[in-house]
Amino acid sequence: MSLASYIRSRFSAEFCLVNQKLDNCSNDQLVRIATDFNADIVGLSSMTSGAHNLPYITEKIRAIMPKSLILVGGPHVSAVGEESLAGNVADAAVPGEGELAFEQIVSHWLEGDGFEGVPGIFRREKDGTIVRNPGGFPPIKGLDSLPPPAYDLIDLPAYWKQQSMPALPFRRYASIFSSRGCPYRCKYCHRIFGRTFRAHSAERVVDEIEFLCKKYGISDFEFVDDIFNLDKKRLFDFCDLVHRRNLKLKLVFPNGVRTDILTQQEIDALVDAGTYYTSFALETGSPRLQKLVGKNLDIEKFVRNVSFATRRGVFAHGFTMLGFPTETEEEMQQTIDVVCKSTLHTCSFFTVTPFRGTGIYDMAMELCPEKLENIDYADMEYAGISVNVSAVPDEVLFAYQRKANRKFFLNPVRLARIARDFPQPHRLPFYIPIFLARALKGLNLKKIL
Ligand code: B12
Ligand code: SF4
């Protein structure tokens, strides 16, 4: 949607946007849509979890429309670089932020030129060799110069039938991506938009929200920024504007906020602006691992701020990972202890998954390369991958995950708080069994820890 609106602001172009996941659209259906549209340019956006589809899709499109230009972009290209062109027949791949590169590619294509002059992209030479062009585009500084995402290209209500995040109920909502880039250095993360934080102004964000409120009659918005709360002035400006424009919003931060830099005033402002659900990412309760993996979270502040938020009625979901390289049983226990003593309502205990192009992958490569050989990222969903790169055997890691669920969820006080604070009480009969199943799964331990 961002790319389409930007290109439409520069050229006369018609777009057809397909979300395979939303529409449960097979690769053959996708190819049919592209060929029925008679696309001059087919742009495929892919995460690593979808990259296994690229060879089939690109070959089919090439066979039916030999003249069309096929581009690949998105997180997978940023993660694996030139390899994103290996094994498929796309013409070029764009890593990182895509607007400026896409614009230049379209320009060269309209002129009938090659793409040698487009900085930083991957392309094929005539003999098929894959090369990376030198240089790269600077991060777009003034994000407000970008036009709003092309909402006309999607059927927003279709998203309301899907759950956006596991612990969030179905609802009529829209997602907002209001900033790009993050200065932190967590080794398990890709930082698709680089280290320089850039953000839309508070006015621009509220304008987009107001537009969506009017167009779709909704008031529920989720922010999927990497780090919405880095710019404190923008946070307060945003909350002030929500009040001044008299918007009655319901706000959610399912991706989380950087919890240890929050203040009580910021939490109050966010709650007063309508925040009712937030994820808080601890990842690990071990101070040693916090340093090792570059997150460097202040764990005490984490617990304190979760408590501030829940006292203000926010439903709090925790993110943790077990199985970091070199992680021991004691450190897994530290994570369990921190979340159990916190006032989080729900919590996910994921297995660390080393993604290509991240520091964690390099660490695991040094420690246990054999375990990385057969990771299958295809169609992965949340906890759908099980690889153990920690210092403990598989059965111990997975037993700690069960123990974590059991200890966390099998707590009458927590279950009562879930029942009291769950955002959509009428849907609780559907969710309580899920939380209980997690807790009871923990009871099936063969080995009592
Ligand atoms: C929202 C989000 C989700 C949502 C929605 C995902 C979706 N399918 O749309 C949910 C919660 C479902 C989700 C789930 C997962 N996610 Co997620 N998610 C994000 C998040 C936070 C924002 C994505 C977004 O909307 N960005 C805004 C738009 C504007 O950016 P963009 O799509 O990247 O597009 C820009 C460029 O990439 C480029 N571009 C993109 N496509 C194309 C195509 C062409 C042709 C061109 C030229 C350019 C181009 O130009 C665009 C504009 O600059 C990103 C982190 C991030 N900062 O991006 C992680 C991220 C994409 N997720 C990630 C992961 C790992 C996952 C999961 C696999 C987690 C898991 N273990 O299950 C699942 C996979 C689910 C699935 N199968 O789809 C990783 C991907 C890493 C990778 N190597 O693929 C990311 C990058 C997080 C990270 N920091 O590491 N995710
Ligand atoms: S704070 Fe979030 S976006 Fe920033 S580096 Fe860490 S995981 Fe990535």
Side-chain angles (χ1 to χ4, degrees):
M1 288 156 70
S2 296
L3 291 171
S5 65
Y6 183 72
I7 294 300
R8 288 199 304 205
S9 73
R10 295 291 191 271
F11 307 93
S12 157
E14 244 183 89
F15 276 84
C16 167
L17 198 151
V18 185
N19 182 334
Q20 272 192 285
K21 201 165 161 53
L22 176 80
D23 298 334
N24 202 10
C25 170
S26 69
N27 289 339
D28 285 323
Q29 283 167 322
L30 179 72
V31 170
R32 202 167 319 122
I33 294 170
T35 50
D36 286 352
F37 189 63
N38 201 11
D40 295 312
I41 302 178
V42 180
L44 299 162
S45 179
S46 181
M47 287 199 211
T48 295
S49 54
H52 58 290
N53 295 311
L54 291 174
Y56 185 84
I57 296 170
T58 55
E59 276 159 31
K60 284 273 169 180
I61 289 173
R62 177 67 77 235
I64 303 170
M65 300 191 298
K67 288 203 178 129
S68 65
L69 174 67
I70 307 179
L71 302 175
V72 190
H76 185 63
V77 180
S78 303
V80 306
E82 63 196 57
E83 269 186 50
S84 55
L85 287 182
N88 66 62
V89 299
D91 296 290
V94 176
E97 196 166 46
E99 283 83 355
L100 302 181
F102 197 14
E103 179 185 13
Q104 279 217 13
I105 290 174
V106 174
S107 239
H108 284 259
W109 180 80
L110 286 170
E111 298 293 324
D113 297 341
F115 305 122
E116 297 81 3
V118 184
I121 66 160
F122 301 96
R123 63 179 174 82
R124 290 181 207 280
E125 297 276 30
K126 286 215 171 77
D127 64 1
T129 329
I130 301 166
V131 290
R132 179 180 185 144
N133 288 345
F137 289 93
I140 301 169
K141 278 209 183 100
L143 284 195
D144 282 0
S145 66
L146 297 175
Y151 282 98
D152 60 297
L153 294 177
I154 62 161
D155 173 19
L156 188 67
Y159 286 81
W160 304 340
K161 296 181 198 130
Q162 305 244 349
Q163 218 174 349
S164 71
M165 282 264 188
L168 256 174
F170 293 85
R171 66 217 198 280
R172 293 157 52 90
Y173 76 102
S175 302
I176 306 282
F177 194 75
S178 80
S179 61
R180 293 181 178 184
C182 173
Y184 285 90
R185 289 162 188 255
C186 309
K187 290 192 176 145
Y188 43 84
C189 174
H190 285 287
R191 278 177 303 275
I192 300 295
F193 292 103
R195 291 224 171 93
T196 316
F197 177 81
R198 298 146 294 139
H200 284 298
S201 64
E203 286 75 17
R204 162 65 186 264
V205 178
V206 178
D207 285 349
E208 189 173 328
I209 285 180
E210 226 177 346
F211 161 79
L212 292 167
C213 289
K214 285 190 186 128
K215 185 165 164 71
Y216 298 99
I218 55 174
S219 57
D220 203 318
F221 293 90
E222 69 175 35
F223 282 84
V224 289
D225 293 35
D226 286 326
I227 184 152
F228 176 87
N229 61 321
L230 189 73
D231 181 340
K232 291 162 181 286
K233 180 177 178 310
R234 189 181 79 118
L235 184 154
F236 285 118
D237 287 349
F238 167 77
C239 296
D240 280 351
L241 262 184
V242 169
H243 295 299
R244 274 198 273 136
R245 296 203 195 169
N246 204 19
L247 296 170
K248 302 279 173 267
L249 300 182
K250 293 188 214 146
L251 303 177
V252 169
F253 294 85
N255 245 18
V257 282
R258 177 82 198 190
T259 313
D260 59 350
I261 60 169
L262 277 173
T263 61
Q264 195 169 354
Q265 289 86 335
E266 286 162 19
I267 294 170
D268 282 338
L270 288 171
V271 174
D272 294 339
T275 302
Y276 70 94
Y277 178 109
T278 302
S279 296
F280 295 96
L282 169 71
E283 311 305 7
T284 171
S286 149
R288 180 188 79 88
L289 288 175
Q290 283 288 346
K291 266 205 195 114
L292 183 79
V293 304
K295 172 143 185 154
N296 292 312
L297 183 82
D298 182 324
I299 295 170
E300 264 179 43
K301 283 191 185 156
F302 172 90
V303 174
R304 201 178 61 210
N305 282 333
V306 170
S307 165
F308 283 149
T310 51
R311 264 189 270 149
R312 288 292 324 265
V314 174
F315 193 90
H317 181 73
F319 286 136
T320 68
M321 290 191 259
L322 299 177
F324 283 104
T326 75
E327 184 166 4
T328 61
E329 282 192 53
E330 292 69 33
E331 288 170 326
M332 292 175 194
Q333 186 59 49
Q334 281 178 305
T335 301
I336 298 175
D337 291 343
V338 172
V339 291
C340 285
K341 93 168 182 214
S342 77
T343 53
L344 289 167
H345 291 85
T346 48
C347 190
S348 301
F349 301 96
F350 294 117
T351 314
V352 172
T353 304
F355 270 91
R356 301 262 306 280
T358 63
I360 284 282
Y361 190 91
D362 298 339
M363 284 166 82
M365 199 53 158
E366 270 185 29
L367 290 167
C368 47
E370 71 291 349
K371 293 199 173 164
L372 300 182
E373 269 164 25
N374 299 320
I375 300 187
D376 181 7
Y377 298 96
D379 300 323
M380 166 210 308
E381 285 292 339
Y382 300 110
I385 192 165
S386 303
V387 60
N388 171 17
V389 295
S390 75
V392 305
D394 292 2
E395 61 278 13
V396 175
L397 168 64
F398 300 129
Y400 266 94
Q401 263 164 339
R402 291 195 298 272
K403 179 184 183 184
N405 276 302
R406 185 185 74 227
K407 288 257 177 210
F408 184 85
F409 284 105
L410 218 56
N411 171 341
V413 176
R414 199 175 308 282
L415 288 172
R417 289 179 52 244
I418 293 177
R420 187 190 63 197
D421 301 335
F422 197 70
Q424 290 185 344
H426 65 285
R427 289 199 196 266
L428 257 181
F430 173 69
Y431 284 94
I432 284 283
I434 297 177
F435 301 136
L436 275 175
R438 286 203 202 167
L440 294 172
K441 205 171 147 204
L443 279 180
N444 287 339
L445 276 180
K446 286 195 190 98
K447 179 179 158 196
I448 301 297
L449 290 165

